[in-house]
Amino acid sequence: MRRIPLQTLPTFRAVAVLSNLRAAADQLHLTHSAISQQIRLLEEQLGFALFDRRGRRVVLNAAGAAFLRAVEPALAQIDEGVRAAAVAAGGMEQRLRITVLPSFARHWLLPRMANWRAQHPDIAVELHTSLQMMDLKRDGFHAAFRQGQGPWRGLDGICFMDSPLVAVCTPEDAQRVANMPASALALEPLLGDAVRWEHWFAQSGHRCRVNPVAVFNDMGMLVQAAEQGMGIALVRQLVAADALRDGSLVQISSVTLSDDGADAFWLLYPPELKDWPPLVAWRAWMGAELQRSAAALHLPPTCL
């Protein structure tokens, strides 16, 4: 059995991710020649090439891709072990890095972060807001909140928010449309997906074609648009929980629409971090906060 020079594995991972020896050297604070020597040593010991050379770029070949899949979980566990050891040795504060959809952070997560800090003063949370799906391992994140159905390749996930869709608007608009028949309501400024609205009207016993005045690819933005009086929005009840509780939005009908979970909110993380204590604590806290939101609106338990 070949003995793998373990010191070369972090170098191999950096080159595999960056596809450039010089960039890997800068990241690892090594010389270009040291990086080249380590890759050559690893390939010689394995007995086969891991990269194809394309000008200044080095690209994983099939063998290199298979090798990366095999060693990445072990390297990630070592990284987390080093961080945990540093915390234990120096009493350092643990840090959880999470990438989050901006409007989800604003509408639901940030108002609850004081509760997190009170319960877990030893675990700092670094929130990064982005509409883009980040590469968690490459970019150094422990978890991500994203919206959709997946598949989330290479990640484990928990559906945290998949509540029914409800029609909401400002109190002023709610008062104005209170006694309108469904046929008249369909002529109001509607916000959100047309197909979902048509299904909602069908649930109300009225079949019609609708033409929403605005469609959003982010449920939190949809809630915000409704709060600003743009029209009547079809939103997930739990996403709008705070606005419904404080009265800035009103649910105008008892009709609810369950759909295929296309815009459900998920907490995603690398499988090897599933049992990492800070992430375990975060999952448990999120579940408790969601159940609290559901209870405040007298809703059934969430999909957690």
Side-chain angles (χ1 to χ4, degrees):
M1 182 176 179
R2 297 185 179 93
R3 296 185 61 185
I4 299 174
L6 297 180
Q7 76 276 13
T8 65
L9 295 183
T11 300
F12 163 70
R13 177 174 58 177
V15 175
V17 170
L18 298 171
S19 299
N20 185 284
L21 295 176
R22 194 167 300 282
D26 291 341
Q27 183 182 90
L28 298 175
H29 306 292
L30 296 173
T31 65
H32 183 278
S33 61
I35 294 289
S36 298
Q37 289 172 10
Q38 289 196 28
I39 296 299
R40 185 164 54 251
L41 173 62
L42 178 59
E43 290 178 328
E44 289 174 353
Q45 195 65 35
L46 290 172
F48 48 81
L50 298 169
F51 296 93
D52 292 332
R53 274 68 177 177
R54 300 177 184 173
R56 294 183 178 181
R57 298 183 68 231
V58 286
V59 181
L60 283 174
N61 58 26
F67 188 63
L68 180 63
R69 287 194 298 272
V71 302
E72 177 60 38
L75 290 172
Q77 285 186 322
I78 291 171
D79 291 343
E80 293 306 326
V82 170
R83 281 193 279 267
V87 170
M92 295 168 55
E93 188 178 57
Q94 298 182 86
R95 183 169 297 274
L96 185 61
R97 299 191 73 229
I98 305 175
T99 173
V100 190
L101 292 165
S103 58
F104 175 70
R106 177 181 178 272
H107 278 276
W108 196 89
L109 189 55
L110 289 180
R112 292 164 173 80
M113 287 305 297
N115 293 345
W116 163 265
R117 190 61 179 165
Q119 295 177 35
H120 300 280
D122 58 330
I123 305 176
V125 176
E126 180 180 333
L127 295 178
H128 173 275
T129 58
S130 172
L131 291 172
Q132 303 301 315
M133 184 62 197
M134 311 295 287
D135 186 317
L136 301 188
K137 296 178 182 179
R138 182 194 65 201
D139 298 321
F141 291 104
H142 301 111
F145 278 105
R146 283 298 176 261
Q147 199 174 354
Q149 290 178 301
W152 315 107
R153 191 167 59 182
L155 298 172
D156 279 355
I158 295 177
C159 172
F160 263 111
M161 197 178 284
D162 191 20
S163 64
L165 296 162
V166 296
V168 301
C169 61
T170 62
E172 294 78 15
D173 284 341
Q175 187 175 12
R176 181 173 55 79
V177 304
N179 298 314
M180 279 188 181
S183 56
L185 194 62
L187 301 177
E188 289 290 311
L190 302 179
L191 308 174
D193 182 76
V195 173
R196 285 180 172 174
W197 267 116
E198 289 169 6
H199 289 165
W200 184 89
F201 278 107
Q203 289 275 87
S204 306
H206 182 76
R207 297 190 177 276
C208 62
R209 299 294 298 272
V210 301
N211 185 24
V213 298
V215 179
F216 300 87
N217 66 350
D218 183 291
M219 187 63 69
M221 292 174 62
L222 185 56
V223 171
Q224 185 173 357
E227 287 181 299
Q228 293 177 353
M230 285 184 61
I232 304 171
L234 197 58
V235 302
R236 290 204 178 276
Q237 205 167 24
L238 271 175
V239 179
D242 291 350
L244 290 169
R245 190 186 66 240
D246 66 25
S248 59
L249 288 179
V250 175
Q251 184 174 329
I252 63 171
S253 170
S254 60
V255 175
T256 64
L257 179 67
S258 297
D259 69 347
D260 57 2
D263 59 7
F265 285 87
W266 290 74
L267 176 67
L268 307 171
Y269 45 85
E272 60 271 16
L273 296 185
K274 180 179 180 180
D275 297 322
W276 184 46
L279 186 59
V280 171
W282 181 264
R283 283 201 308 264
W285 175 79
M286 279 291 305
E289 289 294 331
L290 281 167
Q291 301 301 349
R292 192 173 293 115
S293 288
L297 294 176
H298 306 290
L299 302 178
T302 69
C303 63
L304 177 63

